[in-house]
Amino acid sequence: MTPNKNDCIPEQFRFEPVKSCPVIVNFKGKPVTSDAGLILIAELDRKREITSRLAACFKDYREPNKILHPINSLIAQRIYGLIMGYEDLNDHETLRHDAIFALAVGKVINSEQESITLAGKSTLNRIEHCPENVSSRVDSRYHRIEHDAEAIENLLVEIFLESYPKPPREIILDLDVTDDLVHGNQEETFFNPYYRGYCYAPLYIFCGQQILAAKLRASNVDPAEGGLSELQRVIKIIRSRWKDVKIIIRGDSAYSREDIMSWCESQTEIDYVFGLAQNPRLIQLSQSIKHRASEEYSGRLKPIVDFFETLFSPSPDLTNDAAAFVNNSVWYCSLDYQTLDSWSHSRRVVAKVEYSYEEVDTRFVVTSLPVNKIPPGRLYTQKYCPRGNMENCLKEQKLGLHSDRTSTHTFEGNQLRLWFASIAYILMNALREQCLAKTEFKNATVETIRTKLLKLGAVITISQRLILIAISSACPYKEIFAMVYKSLSQLPCPG
């Protein structure tokens, strides 16, 4: 039942007394927020100028004298909403009256009696949604805000470059694709049998925990579709600033393609490490280390079995029980391998065989790094295996910042939502790396940081002289809050 706005709300609500003491509830308290920690994000954003530079990638064709919510305020409000866990535009119908969001986006509040009104869902929706029948936003009546896709893509790389005080000697770029499941009639969505649903398949490029590219794609394309062009675009910007940096490109077997590998080989100081799907020829070439791994494992297992036989009666399970005390045998080797048709020449392939009592796990990696620079075991464990950390970054994007909330109808609008989630991630990662590096939250996820440091209850008092945000004295993380504030105060001011 929807309440009628004309219904009279009682001044107070009386509940069952507790030990003869009456319990009374009313709505006359001072403004309270549950998002007081947002003030830290806003200060970091002011110092780094991230949302303001994102806003500069938009063109606003609205009449200046009729604008109530400028584009930089709209962008900041949308990004801050994602950071605080409000992924739905409908949430802003309530958030538009929250004083902490008004302060974060720079809205002037003169008194507690002043009505706080930020942009609602309809205004924010005009940034993301553009109907197909609108050919020019200059002439459109309602959709008069346009974004520059190329500028936004370049901004992600520029922010990454700025995060280094000086050019590094080497960086590793990770490529991967994930799924954004959809539940409507969004443009360019298809059923993907691998992900078992209708979805998008965005392509990401990360360097460590920093995002450089987020490209929305239809899910009916090859996993490596657009990978080379995105790499070329990103590396061109990096090379314009860091001419001598060595770049290693890393990905799973979806990216061990001739076009990507050939391009890397034709460039200076660019190498690759890609997973390689196994086939009968590769399995045959790796038989020598499989035999060695088998002999080594058997040599480890036999003394344990012999010892168990002196303690227990012989049984079929004795060897299985003994295997629990034996480490797996792992062997690596380098192979010279060329496919029958798809590769233009032979390449170095590293084989890994892990032998255990229950199974033999064989995996392969193709690389342009020569064997005299890095042996096979170190290449696999130190250069290839750490790519699994990118999976954690993608999970943070999806679970913590709802990057898979691609529920608007147009493909263009959903790409913009993916970029908004990426910028939100950049801000949260900057908070983690620049302000939380010496705290217990240095490796915390976005959700943990939000819950423990940003989701803080506070009473907001507004007067002509100051705005007081009074966080509860029982807050268990006040020391970390103070450390973050100190780190933020040491960041240089813009300009």
Side-chain angles (χ1 to χ4, degrees):
M1 178 178 177
T2 304
N4 190 337
K5 291 186 178 181
N6 295 324
D7 291 344
C8 181
I9 300 176
E11 291 189 4
Q12 63 183 24
F13 304 85
R14 187 179 295 271
F15 290 85
E16 189 72 21
V18 177
K19 293 183 179 181
S20 302
C21 184
V23 178
I24 297 174
V25 177
N26 63 36
F27 289 98
K28 297 181 180 179
K30 289 188 176 181
V32 177
T33 182
S34 62
D35 300 316
L38 178 60
I39 202 72
L40 297 174
I41 294 293
E43 181 66 10
L44 175 63
D45 185 27
R46 187 182 71 83
K47 292 289 185 75
R48 292 286 306 273
E49 294 184 306
I50 292 177
T51 60
S52 60
R53 283 188 287 172
L54 177 62
C57 300
F58 287 75
K59 295 180 181 179
D60 192 348
Y61 299 110
R62 296 176 294 173
E63 296 181 30
N65 60 331
K66 295 182 180 180
I67 294 177
L68 182 60
H69 306 293
I71 187 66
N72 60 327
S73 174
L74 295 176
I75 297 299
Q77 182 182 341
R78 183 70 168 107
I79 301 299
Y80 295 164
L82 289 171
I83 289 174
M84 300 308 297
Y86 305 110
E87 75 277 7
D88 200 311
L89 285 179
N90 292 330
D91 297 328
H92 289 268
E93 285 299 288
T94 303
L95 296 177
R96 66 188 305 201
H97 304 297
D98 193 324
I100 198 69
F101 272 83
L103 294 172
V105 302
K107 185 177 178 63
V108 178
I109 307 174
N110 296 316
S111 68
E112 291 183 6
Q113 289 72 35
E114 181 180 346
S115 175
I116 300 172
T117 306
L118 298 178
K121 65 180 187 298
S122 299
T123 303
L124 290 169
N125 187 52
R126 290 173 185 173
I127 300 177
E128 302 176 6
H129 176 62
C130 184
E132 298 89 334
N133 58 359
V134 176
S135 58
S136 172
R137 299 205 181 190
V138 180
D139 304 320
S140 174
R141 180 176 181 180
Y142 300 109
H143 302 276
R144 309 197 68 184
I145 300 175
E146 185 177 36
H147 68 273
D148 185 341
E150 182 179 354
I152 296 175
E153 290 177 333
N154 292 343
L155 176 63
L156 297 181
V157 186
E158 290 293 335
I159 294 173
F160 161 73
L161 294 171
E162 292 170 5
S163 67
Y164 286 80
K166 61 180 182 179
R169 295 178 58 187
E170 178 183 287
I171 60 174
I172 299 178
L173 302 183
D174 287 303
L175 288 91
D176 207 352
V177 63
T178 187
D179 64 308
D180 284 355
L181 294 174
V182 299
H183 308 282
N185 296 315
Q186 290 91 323
E187 291 179 346
E188 298 189 41
T189 57
F190 300 91
F191 182 84
N192 188 296
Y194 180 81
Y195 296 114
R196 300 180 182 178
Y198 288 86
C199 61
Y200 289 116
L203 174 70
Y204 283 92
I205 299 178
F206 275 82
C207 181
Q209 290 185 307
Q210 302 192 64
I211 189 170
L212 286 81
K215 191 77 168 181
L216 192 68
R217 306 179 308 167
S219 61
N220 66 336
V221 300
D222 186 278
E225 177 76 22
L228 177 58
S229 59
E230 279 299 287
L231 281 173
Q232 291 172 332
R233 180 187 65 80
V234 168
I235 291 175
K236 181 179 179 181
I237 300 174
I238 293 174
R239 283 285 193 228
S240 67
R241 297 270 292 273
W242 299 341
K243 298 186 183 301
D244 300 321
V245 65
K246 178 176 176 57
I247 300 174
I248 297 177
I249 300 169
R250 183 168 60 192
D252 59 23
S253 59
Y255 304 99
S256 55
R257 307 297 177 89
E258 173 65 26
D259 58 343
I260 297 178
M261 294 188 291
S262 295
W263 181 80
C264 293
E265 291 161 352
S266 67
Q267 304 297 307
T268 304
E269 293 295 317
I270 296 181
D271 287 294
Y272 58 82
V273 181
F274 295 131
L276 187 62
Q278 62 177 245
N279 58 51
R281 285 181 59 209
L282 286 171
I283 295 294
Q284 182 62 37
L285 290 172
S286 62
Q287 286 299 309
S288 60
I289 60 168
K290 179 182 176 181
H291 178 69
R292 293 177 186 175
S294 172
E295 288 186 335
E296 182 182 70
Y297 186 81
S298 299
R300 294 174 181 175
L301 182 62
K302 188 177 184 306
I304 306 297
V305 173
D306 292 342
F307 176 69
F308 273 33
E309 288 177 346
T310 65
L311 301 176
F312 309 103
S313 301
S315 70
D317 296 330
L318 198 62
T319 304
N320 188 36
D321 295 338
F325 296 88
V326 180
N327 293 328
N328 295 347
S329 181
V330 182
W331 281 71
Y332 303 91
C333 74
S334 290
L335 308 172
D336 190 38
Y337 175 76
Q338 181 178 2
T339 61
L340 296 178
D341 301 312
S342 57
W343 289 6
S344 59
H345 58 87
S346 62
R347 293 183 168 96
R348 181 191 178 192
V349 171
V350 170
K352 173 202 171 187
V353 173
E354 183 170 2
Y355 200 97
S356 67
Y357 180 71
E358 296 180 346
E359 64 176 352
V360 180
D361 185 20
T362 306
R363 297 175 183 267
F364 301 94
V365 167
V366 59
T367 181
S368 60
L369 293 167
V371 69
N372 60 348
K373 285 190 176 182
I374 182 167
R378 194 152 60 90
L379 182 137
Y380 192 92
T381 56
Q382 297 182 12
K383 295 299 184 182
Y384 181 71
C385 286
R387 67 167 294 275
N389 293 330
M390 184 180 179
E391 296 290 341
N392 295 328
C393 298
L394 294 178
K395 288 178 182 177
E396 282 194 304
Q397 276 262 296
K398 295 173 70 173
L399 301 179
L401 297 167
H402 303 281
S403 65
D404 57 348
R405 187 75 171 188
T406 47
S407 55
T408 189
H409 175 65
T410 62
F411 185 86
E412 179 183 359
N414 285 318
Q415 171 66 84
L416 193 54
R417 287 190 173 189
L418 192 66
W419 283 327
F420 283 162
S422 300
I423 293 294
Y425 175 83
I426 287 172
L427 271 170
M428 287 295 280
N429 190 56
L431 179 71
R432 180 168 50 198
E433 292 188 345
Q434 296 183 289
C435 304
L436 297 173
K438 297 181 180 180
T439 72
E440 62 187 84
F441 295 151
K442 61 181 179 180
N443 295 317
T445 64
V446 165
E447 291 176 290
T448 299
I449 295 171
R450 176 198 297 140
T451 302
K452 296 186 176 182
L453 193 62
L454 304 184
K455 285 289 185 180
L456 302 178
V459 175
I460 301 177
T461 304
I462 303 170
S463 67
Q464 293 291 338
R465 292 183 301 167
L466 60 82
I467 298 173
L468 175 63
I469 303 172
I471 301 173
S472 171
S473 60
C475 176
Y477 302 106
K478 61 181 72 173
E479 292 83 3
I480 295 180
F481 190 99
M483 293 179 67
V484 173
Y485 173 79
K486 181 180 179 181
S487 298
L488 290 173
S489 64
Q490 293 173 349
L491 293 178
C493 293

